[in-house]
Each structure stands twice: as structure tokens, then as C-alpha cells.
Amino acid sequence: VGAVKLYTDENCTTEVGADATETLTVYAKGVSAGSATVTVTSIADSSKTASCAVTVDPITYAVTYKVVNGTWSDGEKEDITKYVESGNKPKVVPTGMKAADGYTSGAWDKNPTETTITGATTFTYTFTAKQPATVTKAPEAKILTYTGSAQALLTAGEAEGGKMQYAIGKDATTAPSDGWSASIPTSTEAGTYYVWYKAVGNDDHID
């Protein structure tokens, strides 16, 4: 049920008193959202009344949701706008956002479900750029003696934010384009080997 007050002017500055006796044109102003019936009763003759129905629409504000460095759950990037009644918190908030390539760990700039809406409001969900995986301990070449059996060419390295991979190249200046593996390269034959290594990022890191 809504509430209304009656005024003698259209700007609703002078309220009609309960003991008004003159003939008036009155203006109704909503105090709260809802529907109400305004009834005026004659002081001289209580059997004479006049009524009118008044509906007060709630005040609503635009709430805009943005996604940065990713998409909504349906793959779209366009802003989403909803309308929320003043004094309330958003009840329907986008979920299932997807990070673009090279980004991870998204978060709202402020939590929509914990924010009371008192005006037009924008919430932004931003994915952060993935950091590169790093080599924390470089592998070391082994000094080997020919035995006729396969031998590991180096000791394993260590990586943060991913795993180490290795590949045998043709020289010390051109990185191999294939043959990368987490396994330590081995060889049976005596000779000089150019073993390359790198850190390969996990789901939250890039190479």
C-alpha cells in the first residue's frame, strides 16, 4: 500500500490541513510506492465524500554491468543494463564471465549484491593479465663420459607458474620450433648437444 499527501499547489509545497473548509483543487504527492485511495469527507455533512485512486510508481535507477578483458557467459561483450528500485540491492547479477586469451582471475570493482542502489550505478568486472611463468632454477649441463647407453644431458630445472620443457636444437642461437618435452633429453652418442629450455605457463600464467 502506498502513501500520499494532499497539497494546495501543483509544486506540492503547501499541505492541505485536515480542517480545511473551503473548496479546493488538491494535488496528490506520493510518499511511498504502491496504490492508495484518497477520500475527502465534508465536515458539514459526513455523508458527502469524494474518492480517487492514486498509484505511486517506485523510483528505479539504471544499473549497468561492464566486462573488461573478457566476455559474458554467452560470449557477448556489450554492457548489460538492468533497473533496480531505489534503496534495494541488485538481485540478478551476471555470472559465468569468460576471460579473453592471456587473462585470468576476474573480479568486480565492488560487489553488486552488497551495494544499495541510490542512483545510476555501474559495476565493472575486470580480468587481469596473466603473468609469465619464470625459470627459478636453470638446468645444468652434465659432463658425461661415453658409456654406450643413453644418458641424461642435463639436470632438471625448476619453474614458477608452470613447468619446465626442453628440446635439442641445432645450435646455440636458433630455438627449436618443435620437439619440446617435459622429459630431460638423453643421448647415447658422444658429441656436442645444444639443449634449450623454457618455462611453460599453467592455466593462470603465460609462457
Side-chain angles (χ1 to χ4, degrees):
V1 177
V4 296
K5 289 185 178 181
L6 301 181
Y7 296 85
T8 60
D9 60 305
E10 62 181 335
N11 294 321
C12 296
T13 57
T14 305
E15 191 172 349
V16 176
D19 57 350
T21 58
E22 66 272 26
T23 301
L24 298 172
T25 298
V26 296
Y27 299 85
K29 178 181 180 181
V31 177
S32 62
S35 297
T37 299
V38 178
T39 301
V40 179
T41 302
S42 170
I43 295 177
D45 184 351
S46 60
S47 66
K48 295 180 179 180
T49 64
S51 301
C52 67
V54 178
T55 299
V56 180
D57 293 327
I59 298 174
T60 60
Y61 292 106
V63 175
T64 302
Y65 300 97
K66 296 178 177 288
V67 62
V68 178
N69 302 327
T71 67
W72 303 116
S73 60
D74 60 1
E76 296 295 324
K77 299 180 180 179
E78 296 299 320
D79 295 349
I80 297 174
T81 299
K82 302 290 185 180
Y83 290 87
V84 177
E85 188 174 334
S86 178
N88 289 346
K89 298 175 181 178
K91 295 180 180 179
V92 180
V93 177
T95 60
M97 286 69 77
K98 301 175 183 178
D101 289 341
Y103 293 88
T104 187
S105 301
W108 291 107
D109 56 343
K110 51 185 177 289
N111 190 336
T113 60
E114 296 180 359
T115 303
T116 300
I117 302 303
T118 58
T121 306
T122 298
F123 297 100
T124 303
Y125 192 93
T126 303
F127 288 100
T128 57
K130 290 183 178 181
Q131 298 300 308
T134 57
V135 176
T136 56
K137 179 182 178 182
E140 295 182 1
K142 289 185 175 182
I143 299 176
L144 302 172
T145 300
Y146 177 77
T147 63
S149 301
Q151 301 182 75
L153 299 178
L154 70 168
T155 60
E158 297 178 1
E160 181 178 354
K163 295 182 178 180
M164 295 292 295
Q165 286 193 0
Y166 312 88
I168 296 177
K170 296 180 179 180
D171 53 44
T173 58
T174 305
S177 59
D178 55 21
W180 290 93
S181 170
S183 301
I184 300 294
T186 62
S187 183
T188 301
E189 302 299 325
T192 299
Y193 296 89
Y194 299 94
V195 181
W196 289 71
Y197 62 89
K198 64 181 179 180
V200 178
N202 55 25
D203 290 342
D204 294 324
H205 294 78
I206 58 175
D207 299 347

